[in-house]
Coordinates of all heavy atoms in Angstrom, one line a residue:
M236 N 296.9 -138.2 41.9 CA 296.4 -137.7 40.6 C 295.3 -136.7 40.9 O 294.4 -137.1 41.7 CB 296.0 -138.8 39.7 CG 295.3 -138.4 38.5 SD 294.5 -139.7 37.5 CE 295.4 -141.1 37.8
D237 N 295.2 -135.6 40.3 CA 294.1 -134.6 40.5 C 293.2 -134.8 39.3 O 293.6 -134.9 38.2 CB 294.7 -133.2 40.5 CG 295.3 -132.8 41.8 OD1 294.9 -133.4 42.9 OD2 296.2 -132.0 41.8
I238 N 291.9 -134.7 39.6 CA 290.9 -134.7 38.6 C 290.5 -133.2 38.5 O 291.1 -132.4 37.9 CB 289.7 -135.6 38.9 CG1 290.2 -137.0 39.2 CG2 288.7 -135.6 37.8 CD1 290.4 -137.9 38.0
E239 N 289.4 -132.8 39.1 CA 288.9 -131.4 39.0 C 288.4 -131.0 40.4 O 288.0 -131.9 41.2 CB 287.8 -131.3 37.9 CG 286.7 -132.3 38.1 CD 285.7 -132.2 36.9 OE1 286.1 -132.6 35.8 OE2 284.6 -131.7 37.1
D240 N 288.3 -129.8 40.6 CA 287.9 -129.2 41.9 C 288.6 -129.8 43.1 O 288.0 -130.0 44.1 CB 286.3 -129.4 42.0 CG 285.5 -128.7 40.9 OD1 286.0 -127.6 40.5 OD2 284.5 -129.2 40.5
G241 N 289.8 -130.1 42.9 CA 290.6 -130.6 44.1 C 290.4 -132.1 44.4 O 290.9 -132.5 45.4
Y242 N 289.6 -132.8 43.7 CA 289.3 -134.2 43.9 C 290.6 -135.0 43.7 O 291.3 -134.8 42.8 CB 288.2 -134.7 43.0 CG 287.9 -136.2 43.2 CD1 287.1 -136.6 44.2 CD2 288.5 -137.1 42.4 CE1 286.8 -137.9 44.4 CE2 288.2 -138.5 42.5 CZ 287.4 -138.9 43.6 OH 287.1 -140.2 43.8
K243 N 290.9 -135.8 44.7 CA 292.1 -136.6 44.6 C 291.7 -138.1 44.4 O 290.9 -138.6 45.2 CB 292.9 -136.5 45.9 CG 293.4 -135.1 46.2 CD 294.8 -135.0 46.0 CE 295.2 -133.6 46.5 NZ 296.2 -133.0 45.6
V244 N 292.3 -138.7 43.5 CA 292.0 -140.1 43.2 C 292.8 -140.9 44.3 O 294.0 -140.6 44.5 CB 292.5 -140.6 41.8 CG1 292.4 -142.1 41.7 CG2 291.7 -139.8 40.8
R245 N 292.2 -141.8 44.9 CA 292.8 -142.7 45.9 C 292.9 -144.1 45.4 O 291.8 -144.7 45.1 CB 292.1 -142.6 47.3 CG 292.8 -143.4 48.3 CD 292.3 -143.0 49.7 NE 292.9 -143.9 50.6 CZ 292.6 -144.0 51.9 NH1 291.6 -143.3 52.3 NH2 293.2 -144.8 52.7
L246 N 294.0 -144.7 45.3 CA 294.1 -146.0 44.9 C 293.7 -147.0 46.0 O 293.9 -146.7 47.1 CB 295.6 -146.3 44.5 CG 296.2 -145.4 43.4 CD1 297.6 -145.8 43.2 CD2 295.4 -145.5 42.1
F247 N 293.0 -148.0 45.6 CA 292.5 -149.0 46.6 C 293.6 -149.9 47.1 O 293.5 -150.4 48.2 CB 291.4 -149.8 46.0 CG 290.1 -149.1 45.8 CD1 289.6 -148.7 44.6 CD2 289.3 -148.9 46.9 CE1 288.4 -148.0 44.5 CE2 288.1 -148.2 46.8 CZ 287.7 -147.8 45.6
F248 N 294.6 -150.1 46.3 CA 295.8 -150.9 46.8 C 297.0 -150.5 45.9 O 296.8 -149.9 44.8 CB 295.5 -152.4 46.7 CG 295.0 -152.9 45.3 CD1 295.9 -153.3 44.4 CD2 293.7 -152.9 45.0 CE1 295.5 -153.7 43.1 CE2 293.2 -153.3 43.8 CZ 294.2 -153.7 42.8
K249 N 298.2 -150.8 46.4 CA 299.4 -150.5 45.7 C 299.4 -151.2 44.3 O 299.1 -152.4 44.2 CB 300.6 -150.9 46.5 CG 301.9 -150.4 45.9 CD 303.1 -150.8 46.8 CE 304.3 -150.2 46.1 NZ 305.5 -150.3 47.0
G250 N 299.5 -150.4 43.3 CA 299.5 -151.0 41.9 C 298.2 -150.9 41.2 O 298.0 -151.3 40.1
H251 N 297.2 -150.5 42.0 CA 295.8 -150.4 41.4 C 295.8 -149.4 40.2 O 296.4 -148.3 40.3 CB 294.9 -149.9 42.5 CG 293.4 -149.8 42.1 ND1 292.7 -148.7 42.3 CD2 292.6 -150.7 41.4 CE1 291.5 -148.8 41.8 NE2 291.4 -150.1 41.3
S252 N 295.2 -149.8 39.1 CA 295.1 -148.9 38.0 C 294.0 -149.4 37.0 O 293.4 -150.5 37.3 CB 296.4 -148.9 37.2 OG 296.7 -150.1 36.6
W253 N 293.8 -148.7 35.9 CA 292.8 -149.2 35.0 C 293.2 -150.5 34.4 O 292.4 -151.4 34.0 CB 292.6 -148.2 33.8 CG 291.9 -146.9 34.3 CD1 292.4 -145.7 34.4 CD2 290.5 -146.9 34.6 NE1 291.4 -144.8 34.9 CE2 290.2 -145.5 35.0 CE3 289.4 -147.8 34.6 CZ2 288.9 -145.1 35.3 CZ3 288.2 -147.3 35.0 CH2 287.9 -146.0 35.4
D254 N 294.5 -150.7 34.3 CA 295.1 -151.9 33.7 C 295.1 -153.1 34.7 O 295.1 -154.3 34.4 CB 296.5 -151.7 33.2 CG 296.5 -150.8 32.0 OD1 295.5 -150.7 31.2 OD2 297.5 -150.0 31.9
K255 N 295.0 -152.7 36.0 CA 295.0 -153.7 37.1 C 293.9 -153.3 38.1 O 294.2 -152.8 39.2 CB 296.4 -153.8 37.8 CG 296.5 -154.8 38.8 CD 297.9 -154.8 39.5 CE 297.8 -155.8 40.6 NZ 299.0 -155.7 41.5
P256 N 292.7 -153.5 37.7 CA 291.6 -153.1 38.6 C 291.3 -154.0 39.8 O 290.7 -153.6 40.7 CB 290.4 -153.1 37.6 CG 290.7 -154.1 36.6 CD 292.2 -154.1 36.5
K257 N 291.7 -155.3 39.7 CA 291.4 -156.2 40.8 C 292.7 -156.6 41.5 O 293.7 -156.8 41.0 CB 290.8 -157.5 40.2 CG 289.5 -157.2 39.4 CD 288.8 -158.5 39.0 CE 289.6 -159.1 37.9 NZ 289.0 -160.3 37.3
P258 N 292.5 -156.8 42.8 CA 293.7 -157.3 43.6 C 294.0 -158.7 43.2 O 293.2 -159.5 42.8 CB 293.1 -157.2 45.1 CG 291.7 -157.1 45.0 CD 291.3 -156.6 43.6
E259 N 295.3 -159.0 43.3 CA 295.8 -160.3 42.9 C 296.4 -161.2 44.0 O 296.7 -162.3 43.8 CB 296.9 -160.1 41.8 CG 296.3 -159.4 40.6 CD 297.4 -159.1 39.5 OE1 298.6 -159.3 39.8 OE2 297.0 -158.7 38.4
N260 N 296.5 -160.6 45.2 CA 297.1 -161.4 46.3 C 296.4 -160.9 47.6 O 295.7 -159.9 47.7 CB 298.6 -161.3 46.4 CG 299.1 -159.9 46.5 OD1 298.7 -159.1 47.4 ND2 300.0 -159.5 45.6
L261 N 296.7 -161.6 48.7 CA 296.1 -161.3 50.0 C 296.4 -159.9 50.5 O 295.5 -159.2 51.0 CB 296.6 -162.3 51.0 CG 295.9 -162.2 52.4 CD1 294.4 -162.3 52.3 CD2 296.5 -163.2 53.4
D262 N 297.6 -159.4 50.3 CA 298.0 -158.1 50.8 C 297.1 -157.0 50.0 O 296.7 -156.0 50.6 CB 299.4 -157.8 50.6 CG 300.3 -158.5 51.6 OD1 299.8 -159.0 52.6 OD2 301.5 -158.7 51.3
E263 N 297.0 -157.2 48.7 CA 296.2 -156.3 47.9 C 294.7 -156.3 48.3 O 294.0 -155.3 48.4 CB 296.3 -156.6 46.4 CG 297.7 -156.2 45.9 CD 297.9 -156.5 44.5 OE1 297.1 -157.2 43.8 OE2 299.0 -156.2 44.0
F264 N 294.2 -157.5 48.6 CA 292.8 -157.6 49.1 C 292.6 -156.9 50.4 O 291.6 -156.2 50.6 CB 292.4 -159.1 49.2 CG 291.8 -159.7 47.9 CD1 292.6 -160.5 47.1 CD2 290.5 -159.4 47.5 CE1 292.1 -161.1 46.0 CE2 290.0 -160.0 46.4 CZ 290.8 -160.8 45.6
E265 N 293.5 -157.1 51.3 CA 293.4 -156.5 52.6 C 293.5 -154.9 52.5 O 292.7 -154.2 53.1 CB 294.6 -156.9 53.5 CG 294.4 -158.4 54.0 CD 295.5 -158.9 54.9 OE1 296.6 -158.2 55.0 OE2 295.4 -160.0 55.4
A266 N 294.4 -154.5 51.6 CA 294.5 -153.0 51.4 C 293.2 -152.5 50.8 O 292.7 -151.4 51.1 CB 295.7 -152.7 50.5
L267 N 292.7 -153.2 49.8 CA 291.4 -152.9 49.1 C 290.3 -152.7 50.2 O 289.6 -151.6 50.2 CB 291.0 -153.9 48.1 CG 289.6 -153.8 47.6 CD1 289.5 -152.6 46.6 CD2 289.1 -155.1 47.0
F268 N 290.1 -153.7 51.0 CA 289.0 -153.6 52.0 C 289.3 -152.5 53.1 O 288.3 -151.8 53.5 CB 288.7 -154.9 52.6 CG 288.0 -155.9 51.7 CD1 288.7 -156.9 51.1 CD2 286.7 -155.6 51.4 CE1 288.0 -157.7 50.2 CE2 286.0 -156.5 50.5 CZ 286.7 -157.5 49.9
Q269 N 290.5 -152.3 53.5 CA 290.8 -151.3 54.5 C 290.6 -149.9 53.9 O 289.9 -149.1 54.5 CB 292.3 -151.4 54.9 CG 292.7 -150.4 55.9 CD 292.0 -150.5 57.2 OE1 291.7 -151.6 57.7 NE2 291.7 -149.4 57.9
N270 N 291.1 -149.7 52.7 CA 290.9 -148.4 52.0 C 289.4 -148.1 51.7 O 289.0 -147.0 51.9 CB 291.8 -148.3 50.8 CG 293.2 -148.1 51.1 OD1 293.6 -147.7 52.2 ND2 294.1 -148.6 50.2
A271 N 288.7 -149.1 51.2 CA 287.3 -148.9 50.9 C 286.5 -148.6 52.2 O 285.7 -147.7 52.2 CB 286.8 -150.2 50.2
S272 N 286.8 -149.3 53.3 CA 286.2 -149.1 54.6 C 286.4 -147.7 55.1 O 285.5 -147.0 55.5 CB 286.6 -150.1 55.6 OG 286.2 -151.4 55.3
E273 N 287.6 -147.2 54.9 CA 288.0 -145.8 55.4 C 287.2 -144.8 54.5 O 286.7 -143.8 55.1 CB 289.5 -145.6 55.3 CG 290.3 -146.3 56.3 CD 291.8 -146.2 56.2 OE1 292.2 -145.3 55.3 OE2 292.5 -146.9 56.8
M274 N 287.2 -145.1 53.2 CA 286.4 -144.1 52.3 C 285.0 -144.1 52.7 O 284.4 -143.0 52.7 CB 286.6 -144.6 50.9 CG 288.0 -144.4 50.3 SD 288.0 -145.1 48.7 CE 289.5 -144.4 48.0
I275 N 284.4 -145.2 52.9 CA 282.9 -145.3 53.3 C 282.7 -144.6 54.6 O 281.7 -143.8 54.7 CB 282.4 -146.8 53.3 CG1 282.5 -147.4 51.9 CG2 281.1 -146.9 54.0 CD1 282.3 -148.9 51.9
E276 N 283.6 -144.8 55.6 CA 283.4 -144.2 56.9 C 283.5 -142.6 56.8 O 282.7 -141.9 57.3 CB 284.5 -144.7 57.8 CG 284.3 -144.2 59.2 CD 285.3 -144.9 60.2 OE1 285.8 -146.0 59.9 OE2 285.6 -144.2 61.2
K277 N 284.5 -142.2 56.0 CA 284.7 -140.7 55.8 C 283.5 -140.1 55.1 O 283.0 -139.0 55.5 CB 285.9 -140.4 55.1 CG 287.2 -140.6 55.9 CD 288.4 -140.3 55.1 CE 289.7 -140.6 55.9 NZ 290.9 -140.4 55.1
R278 N 283.0 -140.7 54.0 CA 281.9 -140.2 53.3 C 280.6 -140.2 54.1 O 279.8 -139.3 54.1 CB 281.7 -141.0 52.0 CG 280.5 -140.5 51.2 CD 280.5 -141.1 49.8 NE 281.7 -140.6 49.0 CZ 282.2 -141.2 48.0 NH1 281.8 -142.4 47.6 NH2 283.2 -140.7 47.4
T279 N 280.4 -141.3 54.9 CA 279.2 -141.4 55.7 C 279.3 -140.3 56.8 O 278.2 -139.6 57.0 CB 279.2 -142.8 56.4 OG1 279.1 -143.8 55.4 CG2 278.0 -142.9 57.3
K280 N 280.4 -140.0 57.4 CA 280.5 -138.9 58.4 C 280.2 -137.6 57.7 O 279.5 -136.8 58.3 CB 281.9 -138.9 59.0 CG 282.1 -137.8 60.0 CD 283.5 -137.8 60.6 CE 283.7 -136.7 61.6 NZ 282.8 -135.6 61.7
R281 N 280.7 -137.3 56.5 CA 280.3 -136.1 55.8 C 278.9 -136.0 55.6 O 278.3 -134.9 55.7 CB 281.1 -136.0 54.5 CG 282.6 -135.7 54.7 CD 283.4 -135.3 53.5 NE 282.8 -135.4 52.2 CZ 283.2 -136.1 51.2 NH1 284.4 -136.7 51.3 NH2 282.6 -136.2 50.0
I282 N 278.2 -137.1 55.2 CA 276.8 -137.0 54.9 C 276.0 -136.8 56.2 O 275.1 -136.0 56.2 CB 276.3 -138.4 54.2 CG1 276.9 -138.5 52.8 CG2 274.8 -138.5 54.2 CD1 276.7 -139.8 52.2
V283 N 276.4 -137.5 57.2 CA 275.7 -137.3 58.5 C 275.9 -135.9 59.0 O 274.9 -135.2 59.5 CB 276.2 -138.3 59.6 CG1 275.7 -138.0 61.0 CG2 275.7 -139.7 59.2
D284 N 277.1 -135.3 58.9 CA 277.3 -134.0 59.4 C 276.5 -133.0 58.6 O 275.9 -132.0 59.1 CB 278.8 -133.6 59.2 CG 279.7 -134.3 60.2 OD1 279.2 -134.9 61.2 OD2 281.0 -134.3 60.0
A285 N 276.4 -133.2 57.3 CA 275.6 -132.3 56.4 C 274.1 -132.4 56.8 O 273.4 -131.4 56.9 CB 275.7 -132.7 54.9
L286 N 273.6 -133.6 57.1 CA 272.2 -133.8 57.5 C 271.9 -133.2 58.8 O 270.9 -132.5 59.0 CB 271.8 -135.3 57.5 CG 271.7 -136.0 56.1 CD1 271.6 -137.5 56.3 CD2 270.6 -135.4 55.3
V287 N 272.8 -133.3 59.8 CA 272.7 -132.7 61.1 C 272.6 -131.2 61.0 O 271.8 -130.5 61.5 CB 273.8 -133.1 62.1 CG1 273.8 -132.3 63.3 CG2 273.6 -134.6 62.4
A288 N 273.5 -130.6 60.1 CA 273.5 -129.1 59.9 C 272.2 -128.7 59.3 O 271.7 -127.7 59.7 CB 274.7 -128.8 59.1
E289 N 271.7 -129.4 58.4 CA 270.5 -129.1 57.7 C 269.3 -129.2 58.7 O 268.4 -128.3 58.8 CB 270.2 -130.0 56.5 CG 269.0 -129.6 55.7 CD 268.8 -130.5 54.5 OE1 269.8 -131.0 53.9 OE2 267.7 -130.6 54.0
Y290 N 269.3 -130.2 59.5 CA 268.3 -130.4 60.5 C 268.3 -129.2 61.5 O 267.2 -128.6 61.9 CB 268.4 -131.7 61.3 CG 267.5 -131.7 62.5 CD1 266.2 -132.1 62.4 CD2 268.0 -131.4 63.8 CE1 265.3 -132.1 63.5 CE2 267.2 -131.5 64.9 CZ 265.9 -131.8 64.7 OH 265.0 -131.8 65.8
K291 N 269.5 -128.8 62.0 CA 269.6 -127.7 62.9 C 269.1 -126.4 62.3 O 268.4 -125.6 62.9 CB 271.1 -127.5 63.3 CG 271.5 -128.6 64.3 CD 273.0 -128.4 64.7 CE 273.4 -129.4 65.7 NZ 274.8 -129.2 66.1
Q292 N 269.3 -126.2 61.0 CA 268.8 -125.0 60.3 C 267.3 -125.0 60.2 O 266.7 -124.0 60.5 CB 269.5 -124.9 58.9 CG 269.1 -123.7 58.1 CD 269.7 -123.6 56.8 OE1 270.3 -124.6 56.3 NE2 269.7 -122.5 56.2
I293 N 266.8 -126.2 59.9 CA 265.3 -126.3 59.8 C 264.7 -126.1 61.2 O 263.7 -125.4 61.3 CB 264.9 -127.7 59.2 CG1 265.3 -127.7 57.7 CG2 263.4 -128.0 59.4 CD1 265.2 -129.1 57.1
D294 N 265.3 -126.7 62.2 CA 264.8 -126.6 63.6 C 264.8 -125.1 64.0 O 263.8 -124.7 64.6 CB 265.6 -127.5 64.5 CG 265.1 -127.5 65.9 OD1 263.9 -127.9 66.0 OD2 265.8 -127.3 66.9
S295 N 265.8 -124.4 63.7 CA 265.9 -123.0 64.0 C 264.8 -122.2 63.3 O 264.1 -121.4 63.9 CB 267.3 -122.4 63.6 OG 267.3 -121.1 63.8
I296 N 264.6 -122.5 62.1 CA 263.5 -121.8 61.3 C 262.1 -122.1 61.9 O 261.3 -121.2 62.1 CB 263.5 -122.2 59.8 CG1 264.8 -121.6 59.2 CG2 262.3 -121.7 59.1 CD1 265.1 -122.1 57.8
M297 N 261.9 -123.4 62.3 CA 260.6 -123.8 62.9 C 260.4 -123.1 64.2 O 259.3 -122.7 64.5 CB 260.6 -125.3 63.0 CG 260.6 -126.1 61.7 SD 259.2 -125.7 60.6 CE 257.8 -126.3 61.5
K298 N 261.4 -123.0 65.0 CA 261.3 -122.3 66.3 C 260.9 -120.8 66.1 O 260.1 -120.3 66.8 CB 262.6 -122.4 67.1 CG 262.8 -123.8 67.7 CD 264.1 -123.9 68.5 CE 264.3 -125.3 69.0 NZ 265.5 -125.5 69.7
K299 N 261.5 -120.2 65.1 CA 261.2 -118.8 64.8 C 259.8 -118.7 64.3 O 259.0 -117.8 64.7 CB 262.2 -118.2 63.7 CG 263.6 -118.0 64.2 CD 264.5 -117.5 63.1 CE 265.9 -117.4 63.7 NZ 266.9 -117.1 62.6
L300 N 259.3 -119.6 63.5 CA 257.9 -119.6 63.0 C 257.0 -119.9 64.2 O 255.9 -119.3 64.2 CB 257.7 -120.6 61.9 CG 258.4 -120.3 60.6 CD1 258.2 -121.5 59.6 CD2 257.9 -119.1 60.0
D301 N 257.3 -120.7 65.1 CA 256.5 -121.0 66.3 C 256.4 -119.7 67.1 O 255.3 -119.4 67.6 CB 257.1 -122.1 67.2 CG 256.9 -123.5 66.5 OD1 256.0 -123.6 65.6 OD2 257.6 -124.4 67.0
K302 N 257.5 -118.9 67.3 CA 257.4 -117.7 68.0 C 256.5 -116.7 67.3 O 255.7 -116.0 68.0 CB 258.8 -117.1 68.2 CG 259.7 -117.8 69.2 CD 261.0 -117.1 69.3 CE 261.9 -117.9 70.2 NZ 263.3 -117.3 70.3
I303 N 256.6 -116.6 66.0 CA 255.7 -115.7 65.3 C 254.3 -116.1 65.4 O 253.4 -115.3 65.7 CB 256.1 -115.7 63.8 CG1 257.5 -115.0 63.6 CG2 255.1 -114.9 63.0 CD1 258.1 -115.2 62.2
G304 N 254.0 -117.4 65.4 CA 252.6 -117.9 65.5 C 252.1 -117.7 66.9 O 250.9 -117.4 67.1
A305 N 253.0 -117.8 67.9 CA 252.5 -117.6 69.3 C 252.2 -116.2 69.6 O 251.4 -115.9 70.5 CB 253.6 -118.1 70.3
K306 N 252.8 -115.2 68.9 CA 252.5 -113.8 69.1 C 251.1 -113.4 68.6 O 250.6 -112.4 69.1 CB 253.6 -112.9 68.4 CG 255.0 -113.0 69.1 CD 256.0 -112.2 68.3 CE 257.4 -112.3 69.0 NZ 258.3 -111.5 68.3
K307 N 250.5 -114.1 67.7 CA 249.2 -113.7 67.2 C 248.1 -114.0 68.1 O 248.0 -114.7 69.0 CB 249.0 -114.5 65.8 CG 249.9 -114.0 64.8 CD 249.5 -114.7 63.5 CE 250.4 -114.1 62.3 NZ 250.0 -114.6 61.1

């Protein structure tokens, strides 16, 4: 199912829906935790990658400012 801006809804377990929000058996619980863990891992990686990129950009700017300051 597509929402907006290419966002894809991912079901936590087979049969998951608004009418069936909770797992009802062991297989569904296992799927829920596996899928949730994968989602958390992927989102965490994206956040870390974004923070590293931002740090590198700030570090680059600081080095340029240091060079400007050293020339005075």
Side-chain angles (χ1 to χ4, degrees):
M236 173 189 328
D237 284 331
I238 303 278
E239 52 187 72
D240 297 327
Y242 178 80
K243 301 252 185 218
V244 173
R245 182 166 175 191
L246 303 179
F247 284 107
F248 54 89
K249 188 174 182 172
H251 181 231
S252 69
W253 288 109
D254 296 327
K255 184 182 175 191
K257 298 186 290 186
E259 296 175 352
N260 58 53
L261 182 60
D262 288 339
E263 291 177 354
F264 273 101
E265 288 176 352
L267 167 76
F268 285 107
Q269 180 65 35
N270 289 332
S272 294
E273 287 174 11
M274 290 173 162
I275 292 167
E276 187 175 334
K277 287 178 183 178
R278 181 167 290 154
T279 301
K280 182 181 179 338
R281 287 191 350 235
I282 291 169
V283 168
D284 290 346
L286 290 172
V287 167
E289 187 174 335
Y290 170 79
K291 287 180 179 179
Q292 184 179 13
I293 292 169
D294 188 51
S295 174
I296 292 168
M297 294 302 292
K298 286 179 181 177
K299 289 176 185 175
L300 291 173
D301 286 344
K302 285 181 184 178
I303 293 170
K306 289 180 183 179
K307 291 185 176 182

